[in-house]
Amino acid sequence: MSLRFQAPKGTRDLLPPDTAIWAAVEAAARRVFARYGYGEIRTPIFEETELFARGVGESSDIVGKEMYSFTDRGGRSVTLRPENTASVCRAYLEHGMQSLPKPVRLFYVGPQFRYERPQKGRYRQFHQVGAELIGGKGAESDVEILLMLVAFLGELGFGDLKVLVNTVGDAESRSAYKEKLKTYLLPLKERLSEDSRRRLETNPLRILDSKSPEEQEIVAAAPRLADFLTDASRRHFAAVLSSMEAFGLSFVVEPRLVRGLDYYTNTVFEIVSEGLGAQNAICGGGAYEGLIEELGGAPTYGVGFAIGEDRLLEVLPAHSPARAAAQAIRPVLVAWAGGQLPEDASPSSPTFDLAEELRRQGIAAVDAGGRTGKALYAYADQLASPCLAFVGEEELAAGTVRLRDTATREEQTLERQAAIARLRPAPTEPR
Ligand code: AMP
């Protein structure tokens, strides 16, 4: 019989034991971001559609064709958030954070939604871990955000990721450049894809990062944005690069990197991983000088990044401490060693009792019920139990517990309190 319900196309269920790795990755993010003074923000999953239209930009693919928008019962057009920066900036203004001492440092963790064609590494519901630094000074903010990003990835065990950086200039640089680029591309219009022809009108810069070989050839001979930068943009970028160098961040300047969201200005960056195939970007980010103003605030410098958690987990190194952290809490399996348990034994059976006693002592434990033999060991496998704790008639009478290490198969019988003490996890070191 075929399954009646399945997760919607482009979405997926995250299940144990994988979810423990997700949680460990997120815990690492919280730890590193807290070290840099960032506080967590949780914005609604949906917002007024207009927020994204304005914030992300009408000419972006996201707003143009990827939003999950619907009219609610009150007749309002709302949209599942396709990204989090616009919402964070909306919340920044809504809660008067502009009057807080600057800069304001925020991070978020959560699902985002885009109606894209699903493929490996591309989902309709995906997950991002991101941060925003709002109201800071230009180059210094960019570098802080990049240092934190690299620190987080380092904490996860990544050693060899490529940070691609570029500048898309300030508004003045861009408008001068856009005109030149359009003038160059117009006579070549027939050779451009339908998408690029549309972008010629809406956002010609996006044509620069086309993946098609023919268009790449056209782009290679196009005027370069770098030649149209204002002095301020040029100085900004030079300051970011020299500071990255000073802090030992390895990067590659990628002149064709423009990123798909309209709000970026000056510094943009991306981190790609070789192991991912076509959808190889793990993280994207950049500065946005006009976004807060676009949403009704005063001109404010902002910079941020968003890491695609789904892709990050795909390439998480085998030696990542997050994998070890996910393994750290594995339940002891408490099993009956005295033959068949009476049918009505649960929930006050000796194994149920001991399991709860262990849990009250801070030890992860699961009651194996009446399982014995093969079924018991299969259950221990499924739970990845490090240890079995047996009680039977004999142990009950003697006040003991028999511990069996699942890896070494070594057994020892200890007095009940001594067994509990043996199972207690070592206190974790504060980091
Ligand atoms: P963006 O918000 O487009 O700058 O994307 C930031 C990061 O989110 C990307 O580098 C990806 O890792 C991830 N991402 C974006 N779209 C998707 C998607 N449809 N599925 C999975 N990950 C995505």
Side-chain angles (χ1 to χ4, degrees):
M1 203 179 82
S2 68
L3 277 177
R4 195 162 158 216
F5 292 114
Q6 292 179 3
K9 185 171 176 191
T11 72
R12 60 198 179 131
D13 301 305
L14 303 174
L15 305 172
D18 293 350
T19 36
I21 304 179
W22 282 71
V25 165
E26 289 165 12
R30 290 173 202 285
R31 207 161 51 235
V32 174
F33 298 170
R35 214 185 286 155
Y36 282 78
Y38 286 65
E40 183 176 4
I41 180 166
R42 300 188 190 196
T43 65
I45 298 285
F46 63 90
E47 299 267 3
E48 263 178 73
T49 299
E50 182 61 18
L51 173 69
F52 301 118
R54 269 181 174 266
V56 181
E58 298 279 4
S59 74
S60 65
D61 282 351
I62 294 180
V63 174
K65 50 188 188 186
E66 294 170 0
M67 292 208 297
Y68 274 95
S69 301
F70 58 98
T71 307
D72 74 4
R73 287 171 193 273
R76 302 169 196 90
S77 175
V78 293
T79 294
L80 300 185
R81 61 185 191 197
E83 59 98 56
N84 226 156
T85 303
S87 306
V88 170
C89 291
R90 192 260 315 132
Y92 172 86
L93 291 170
E94 184 172 338
H95 300 283
M97 289 189 232
Q98 62 274 44
S99 57
L100 295 174
K102 289 192 183 56
V104 170
R105 297 178 165 89
L106 298 166
F107 76 89
Y108 58 84
V109 175
Q112 319 292 338
F113 305 84
R114 294 182 197 172
Y115 193 83
E116 292 192 89
R117 200 166 45 77
Q119 64 180 83
K120 186 175 182 303
R122 191 156 79 192
Y123 304 97
R124 289 181 173 173
Q125 173 171 342
F126 59 99
H127 305 80
Q128 287 185 337
V129 172
E132 312 290 349
L133 175 53
I134 306 175
K137 289 193 228 128
E140 195 175 289
S141 295
D142 298 357
V143 174
E144 176 181 310
I145 253 308
L146 281 161
L147 285 169
M148 182 168 85
L149 170 61
V150 170
F152 168 52
L153 295 171
E155 183 107 347
L156 292 180
F158 286 99
D160 56 347
L161 288 170
K162 232 201 253 175
V163 182
L164 309 177
V165 277
N166 190 26
T167 175
V168 292
D170 53 17
E172 196 186 320
S173 325
R174 282 215 302 216
S175 72
Y177 177 63
K178 261 187 199 168
E179 282 317 306
K180 272 281 184 284
L181 184 62
K182 249 170 133 170
T183 313
Y184 166 78
L185 288 170
L186 265 173
L188 306 168
K189 198 170 166 179
E190 295 313 311
R191 292 169 58 196
L192 297 177
S193 67
E194 201 181 310
D195 260 359
S196 293
R197 267 182 251 166
R198 189 170 39 80
R199 286 178 178 148
L200 200 51
E201 296 312 318
T202 56
N203 188 358
L205 252 67
R206 283 300 310 283
I207 301 173
L208 296 182
D209 70 354
S210 158
K211 302 276 183 289
S212 113
E214 162 136 36
E215 291 188 349
Q216 284 186 358
E217 215 174 279
I218 293 173
V219 163
R224 288 164 7 115
L225 178 58
D227 298 329
F228 291 81
L229 295 179
T230 57
D231 281 348
S233 280
R234 207 182 297 276
R235 275 200 307 273
H236 182 129
F237 195 45
V240 170
L241 296 186
S242 67
S243 189
M244 283 175 84
E245 241 158 33
F247 282 104
L249 293 183
S250 51
F251 61 87
V252 176
V253 176
E254 173 53 73
R256 285 166 11 98
L257 178 69
V258 292
R259 315 241 336 107
L261 292 78
D262 287 3
Y263 51 62
Y264 287 119
T265 50
N266 283 313
T267 313
V268 290
F269 53 88
E270 210 162 85
I271 293 185
V272 296
S273 164
E274 308 301 331
L276 279 173
Q279 301 302 317
N280 66 353
I282 294 184
C283 170
Y288 43 89
E289 277 149 281
L291 179 55
I292 301 260
E293 202 177 351
E294 185 66 41
L295 301 180
T300 307
Y301 193 89
V303 55
F305 63 78
I307 298 170
E309 227 182 330
D310 305 78
R311 293 184 197 168
L312 184 71
L313 269 101
E314 225 12 75
V315 289
L316 191 69
H319 64 269
S320 175
R323 290 190 193 278
Q327 287 270 316
I329 302 180
R330 295 180 299 159
V332 172
L333 191 56
V334 183
W336 181 242
Q340 207 63 315
L341 269 183
E343 283 279 322
D344 61 354
S346 185
S348 55
S349 69
T351 53
F352 190 97
D353 281 355
L354 177 56
E356 180 58 11
E357 187 174 351
L358 291 173
R359 295 185 292 244
R360 288 186 182 196
Q361 300 277 344
I363 301 157
V366 166
D367 174 16
R371 283 184 185 79
T372 54
K374 256 195 181 157
L376 177 63
Y377 288 99
Y379 198 33
D381 249 12
Q382 186 202 327
L383 296 171
S385 297
C387 179
L388 287 149
F390 287 104
V391 281
E393 307 288 359
E394 211 176 288
E395 287 80 7
L396 282 179
T400 57
V401 175
R402 180 155 51 90
L403 300 182
R404 180 187 167 99
D405 187 302
T406 38
T408 64
R409 298 182 183 177
E410 263 168 41
E411 287 200 8
Q412 58 183 147
T413 301
L414 294 173
E415 187 271 322
R416 191 170 171 111
Q417 289 312 316
I420 291 173
R422 173 67 51 87
L423 294 173
R424 192 168 289 129
T428 46
E429 302 262 327
R431 309 177 63 126

